[in-house]
Amino acid sequence: MIDRILQKATDGSPLSKDDAVALLNIKNTSADFYKLIAKSNELSRKAYHNKGYIFAQIGINADPCSGNCKFCSLAKDNFSVDGRYEKKRDDVIEQVKSINLNMLSALFLMTTADYDVEKFFKIGSEVKKLLPEPVTLVANIGDFDVSTAHKLKEAGFGAVYHIVRLREGFDTDIAKETRLKTLDAICTAGLDLYYCVEPIGEEHTYEEIAYEMIRARDYHVDVMAVMSRVGVAGTKYENVPEISELELTKIAAVARLVTNPKQSMNTHEPKKMSLLAGVNQLYAEIGVNPRDTSGNTEMNRGRSIEDIAKMLLDAEYTL
Ligand code: SF4
């Protein structure tokens, strides 16, 4: 059965949810595991012309967030970041100037869900002026309507990172419908949608994971990712086991085959092993993020642009 599904992927036929679940059920120590990652690797190297992509994200504020995601260090009910802050526009500009923009394909600006969107437009338009032409400016913010989506575009954003999280509405205080409306607004405004299946933990079924892969395909995403859930200290999931790197590698390979993104496939946080399985894009991070209790993740969990470049070059991707 696995051979038949992999042949469908080779032929460019869309994989069904059942196909995805069958692939996800492959044992990580089996021969089929290597068939799976070999196929994903083969298709990625060919489709992406062996090009690797480096993305970077800057976290702008560390404030208790009403999204209240139970796995996130910024959630209002379990805020566990080592301090609150909000970067001024000039601070963000200085941070952007300090990084090697010529190595990047995309720069993300991230805020918590309650951040003032007008302020975000202003910062975004200033940052856009600093970016070399090929670098896409990407928004990673709370939910919004079509009017805001158009304003993001006017401010210079070319894409938005937005998803329906696993167990949205159960592990978060945000309704799934709200997330879906934002996804639709992004597409209506003509912004690119960057998607991810996240945050994947041992608590999720393969059916749940496969469902989000199919959703990404239905939205025709060109930039796809999978991300594992971190057991952040102080959150509900602090002591719930995380998935292994081998498991994330398998999930990345399946997501690559099911979603068939046109530009790139990512795993987060950056993992070298996944570069054997069709992943050709990784993120550097600066400032706060939901997986870290340090407000400056570049000093803790986050990887630098130079680290990411080395990982991709070690996998013989070209930059
Ligand atoms: S994941 Fe995002 S929306 Fe959820 S609590 Fe954290 S910052 Fe807020």
Side-chain angles (χ1 to χ4, degrees), residues 65-69 71-76 111-113 165 174 290:
C65 175
S66 66
N68 217 18
C69 305
F71 40 79
C72 174
S73 58
L74 292 152
K76 69 180 167 68
T111 71
T112 55
R165 301 179 189 88
I174 308 170

Side-chain angles (χ1 to χ4, degrees), residues 37-38 40-41 45 249 272-279 315 317:
I37 66 169
S40 180
N41 180 63
R45 299 265 179 187
T249 297
K272 259 189 167 178
M273 200 184 287
S274 68
L275 298 174
L276 292 172
V279 166
Y317 278 107

Side-chain angles (χ1 to χ4, degrees), residues 66-71 164-176 179 199:
S66 66
N68 217 18
C69 305
K70 293 184 171 53
F71 40 79
V164 176
R165 301 179 189 88
L166 294 167
R167 309 221 170 152
E168 192 78 70
F170 175 77
D171 269 346
T172 76
D173 282 0
I174 308 170
K176 195 179 280 187
R179 305 293 287 175

Side-chain angles (χ1 to χ4, degrees), residues 195-212:
Y195 208 80
C196 182
V197 181
E198 60 125 315
I200 304 167
E202 293 207 341
E203 62 275 18
H204 301 117
T205 66
Y206 285 148
E207 281 74 14
E208 289 173 273
I209 292 167
Y211 198 88
E212 289 309 317

Side-chain angles (χ1 to χ4, degrees), residues 222-240:
D222 290 340
V223 175
M224 179 63 181
V226 295
M227 185 181 92
S228 50
R229 193 242 326 122
V230 170
V232 179
T235 69
K236 170 185 168 183
Y237 287 103
E238 178 174 0
N239 297 312
V240 181

